[in-house]
Amino acid sequence: MKLEDTTSDLQNNSKELSDLQKAVRAQNDLYKINDPDLREELLQRNEITVRELADLKVSGMNRYSMSHPEHFNLNPEACREYYGFRDFQFLKRFIEKVIGVPYDPPSKLKSIGGHNSENALSEFEQVLIAMFYCNSSFNYYTIGSVFGLKSRVTVRKYIDRWMPVLGEAGDMLSTFTHYLDTDALKWLEPEWYIKLNLRDISAVIDGKDFMCETVRTDRFLNCAQSSNKVNHSAFRLLTWSLPCGAVIQRTPAFFGRASEKAILRAWGSLGRLKFPIGTCILGDKGFDSTAGSYTNYNTTLHPSFLTNGQFSRDQVNHNVLICKKRYTCEVVYSRVASTKKLQGVIARETFKHFESVVGWSHGLANICYGYLQKINNYQH
């Protein structure tokens, strides 16, 4: 066990020891009561209260259970449903190491607010609120009731504080084109790409439209939101992923009226699309003739299908296999869209956090899932 893990466990045990000491002192105070009947009744009530409190920490959705490891041990799918992580220990370590917030479980069921109150939510709980906000369709009032808060204003304050942090962390976990070189791409090359002689592919590109509510008070925004993909108001963005399924780059969200080529050119003009020289991008026909958007003029390959006799049967079958192996870009977006805040129609109150939610979702797509295709050099 690493030293930092041991330190974290000691801190958690010290808090549990402090709670146990308080319980022992309370028990000793009860034994000092002279009236035997009153003492016996209070002891029974204290025992019932302790037992109910222990049950409360591991059952239902309340302030205790939302950050109690035992609750997630008894309910293995709860952590993925609440926060998008496979287990609570992984989530706890992530918040401690990446976000830089120590684990601090609550000592009270309800929070009365105030910065100096021992009942106030710890920073660890505040981060959990922001994650729970991303992975649920609840409003501020419902989220607050789960974490023992009465004021939706307080909930909004916590979400406004931590959502930009989560968004930045997600983008850092899903943006690493500057680390890619020819050796890295060769090491991560899927076996199927080698069999199909589909070599020197540095990324797979695809676009996604997220439907959103229409802003009817502004005619220009109303028109800019219109998407021809989903026939609805939407936000549109592009994502680049490795053939094995890891996200390596994304654009910010644009209004749905912007074409995918226009978004690609705008993002490429900032020098953000630097892939190894001589490698190609795998995409659909919509990204044809976009090599000028890449710093090293990477060509975009897309399978061609014509009804005439230009291609032989073997060539058509080869193109079909290539298309089947492009499924990874669709699965990447299904992983991103598994964050519940991105499902359905995005509400207007979510607009200001949409960019952060998208960044956080791309980061989760990398750290919470494995390879989509068997890697040639990976020891299975």
Side-chain angles (χ1 to χ4, degrees):
M1 182 179 291
K2 295 182 179 179
L3 178 59
E4 54 268 23
D5 295 339
T6 306
T7 304
S8 177
D9 292 338
L10 287 175
Q11 291 174 346
N12 298 337
N13 292 336
S14 64
K15 186 170 182 63
E16 294 178 1
L17 179 60
S18 176
D19 294 339
L20 182 60
Q21 289 173 342
K22 292 179 181 179
V24 170
R25 285 196 296 269
Q27 193 83 354
N28 291 335
D29 291 339
L30 289 175
Y31 280 113
K32 295 177 182 179
I33 298 176
N34 296 326
D35 188 339
D37 295 334
L38 178 60
R39 182 173 65 248
E40 184 64 26
E41 181 180 356
L42 292 176
L43 285 172
Q44 290 178 358
R45 289 186 179 181
N46 185 59
E47 183 179 350
I48 293 174
T49 302
V50 171
R51 188 163 56 247
E52 289 178 347
L53 182 59
D55 293 338
L56 190 63
K57 289 183 177 181
V58 296
S59 61
M61 294 174 62
N62 55 71
R63 186 183 177 189
Y64 283 136
S65 63
M66 296 300 283
S67 59
H68 198 283
E70 187 62 27
H71 170 68
F72 296 100
N73 291 336
L74 296 174
N75 304 276
E77 294 299 318
C79 192
R80 188 179 296 277
E81 288 294 322
Y82 298 166
Y83 309 120
F85 283 75
R86 63 174 182 264
D87 63 72
F88 187 74
Q89 288 300 323
F90 178 33
L91 169 62
K92 184 165 75 74
R93 293 287 190 268
F94 177 87
I95 294 177
E96 290 176 337
K97 306 304 179 184
V98 178
I99 309 299
V101 175
Y103 177 63
D104 187 10
S107 56
K108 300 289 183 179
L109 182 61
K110 294 183 178 181
S111 172
I112 62 174
H115 297 291
N116 298 322
S117 172
E118 65 174 4
N119 294 351
L121 263 67
S122 64
E123 288 191 337
F124 188 89
E125 292 177 281
Q126 294 174 25
V127 175
L128 291 183
I129 284 182
M131 291 183 176
F132 187 64
Y133 166 81
C134 292
N135 221 46
S136 71
S137 56
F138 296 142
N139 56 28
Y140 290 157
Y141 179 80
T142 306
I143 294 174
S145 64
V146 171
F147 284 86
L149 293 169
K150 292 184 178 180
S151 173
R152 66 188 304 273
V153 176
T154 305
V155 176
R156 183 172 65 243
K157 179 183 68 175
Y158 291 151
I159 293 174
D160 290 347
R161 176 188 177 187
W162 291 104
M163 274 313 306
V165 177
L166 293 183
E168 183 179 358
D171 282 330
M172 290 175 65
L173 292 168
S174 58
T175 305
F176 49 90
T177 51
H178 49 289
Y179 290 123
L180 291 179
D181 54 24
T182 306
D183 292 336
L185 292 175
K186 187 175 181 180
W187 182 263
L188 295 170
E189 192 174 27
E191 288 186 354
W192 262 106
Y193 277 55
I194 298 176
K195 293 178 182 179
L196 292 172
N197 198 28
L198 197 61
R199 313 304 295 271
D200 298 325
I201 301 297
S202 56
V204 183
I205 183 176
D206 197 18
K208 172 71 174 179
D209 282 17
F210 295 91
M211 291 191 295
C212 63
E213 292 183 353
T214 303
V215 179
R216 303 189 184 278
T217 56
D218 190 307
R219 178 173 172 270
F220 296 102
L221 283 180
N222 192 326
C223 295
Q225 286 182 291
S226 178
S227 167
N228 59 355
K229 262 191 174 184
V230 294
N231 293 321
H232 196 278
S233 296
F235 294 115
R236 176 173 293 173
L237 56 91
L238 307 180
T239 298
W240 288 261
S241 58
L242 293 176
C244 63
V247 180
I248 56 176
Q249 181 71 257
R250 76 170 182 92
T251 67
F254 290 78
F255 287 126
R257 190 64 177 253
S259 68
E260 291 179 337
K261 279 189 176 182
I263 295 174
L264 179 59
R265 293 191 185 101
W267 195 238
S269 65
L270 302 176
R272 302 297 297 269
L273 302 177
K274 188 174 183 179
F275 294 94
I277 298 174
T279 60
C280 297
I281 310 296
L282 196 61
D284 56 33
K285 195 172 182 180
F287 298 103
D288 193 18
S289 303
T290 55
S293 302
Y294 295 92
T295 302
N296 292 322
Y297 296 93
N298 304 91
T299 303
T300 300
L301 302 179
H302 62 85
S304 301
F305 299 96
L306 296 177
T307 55
N308 56 33
Q310 180 175 347
F311 297 104
S312 67
R313 182 178 297 274
D314 291 339
Q315 289 174 321
V316 172
N317 291 336
H318 183 71
N319 283 340
V320 170
L321 288 175
I322 293 176
C323 283
K324 287 182 178 180
K325 294 309 169 184
R326 279 188 64 251
Y327 77 95
T328 55
C329 62
E330 303 295 340
V331 178
V332 165
Y333 270 128
S334 71
R335 290 175 170 180
V336 170
S338 64
T339 300
K340 293 183 177 61
K341 223 48 175 192
L342 299 178
Q343 297 174 1
V345 179
I346 310 298
R348 286 189 65 176
E349 67 176 10
T350 312
F351 282 8
K352 70 174 181 178
H353 293 308
F354 179 77
E355 190 65 30
S356 296
V357 175
V358 168
W360 175 241
S361 301
H362 278 76
L364 287 182
N366 274 354
I367 65 175
C368 291
Y369 298 93
Y371 292 126
L372 288 173
Q373 299 197 55
K374 187 177 180 181
I375 302 301
N376 183 44
N377 293 295
Y378 184 66
Q379 300 298 324
H380 293 271

